[in-house]
Amino acid sequence: MTVREIVTVGHPVLRERARDVTIDELATPDVQRLIDDLVDTMRAANGAGIAANQIGVPLRITTIEVNDNPRYPYKPRIPLTVVVNPVIEPLDDELVEINEGCLSVPNLRGNVMRHVNVRVRYLDRDGAEHDEIRRGLTAGTFQHECDHLDGMLFLDRVTDPTTFTTWEQFERFHRAAFVERISEFVRRVGS
Ligand code: NI
């Protein structure tokens, strides 16, 4: 088990487009160890997801897991999912405004618009192909992690800078209204 250092906004690796992993590379001990480290680092930091470039490795690999997450207690559960070479596409024009944070952007949150219904195609850590529909906050988490692999941060998608808050001020002034709105959304969408 290795918890790696998470690089923060300003580090150029977060702004690079990460490259695809070949099927042969995916099977190597180095890449399998990288995936283990991503999982360990994500869990140690209570992240809902982490992308490989967040630990300094510009490969298109991200891990996602939500399980009673103290950073985002309103998020529906997502079992551990290893996502390699993802291709994500919106299924329609429905959007939802989600308050997001990021392990690479310490102590800041802001509101971004995310697609509610997306199709995600990817490989798992064994190289098996997946083609899935993801909805709601879970779709938002997939979009956030796929953005990382394209060198984007949630900061780039915040259209109203007045929604930026520290985690402390979010708790104090904004959390209740957001959780009420988003819980209603989660009930409607189911994820
Ligand atoms: Ni992030």
Side-chain angles (χ1 to χ4, degrees), residues 49 54 101-104 144-145 148 153-154:
Q54 290 183 272
C102 178
L103 296 175
S104 291
H144 178 115
E145 299 311 325
H148 275 298
L153 299 171
F154 83 91

Side-chain angles (χ1 to χ4, degrees), residues 27-41:
T28 62
D30 277 359
V31 171
Q32 291 295 315
R33 198 174 309 119
L34 168 68
I35 292 169
D36 290 337
D37 290 356
L38 279 171
V39 173
D40 291 341
T41 306

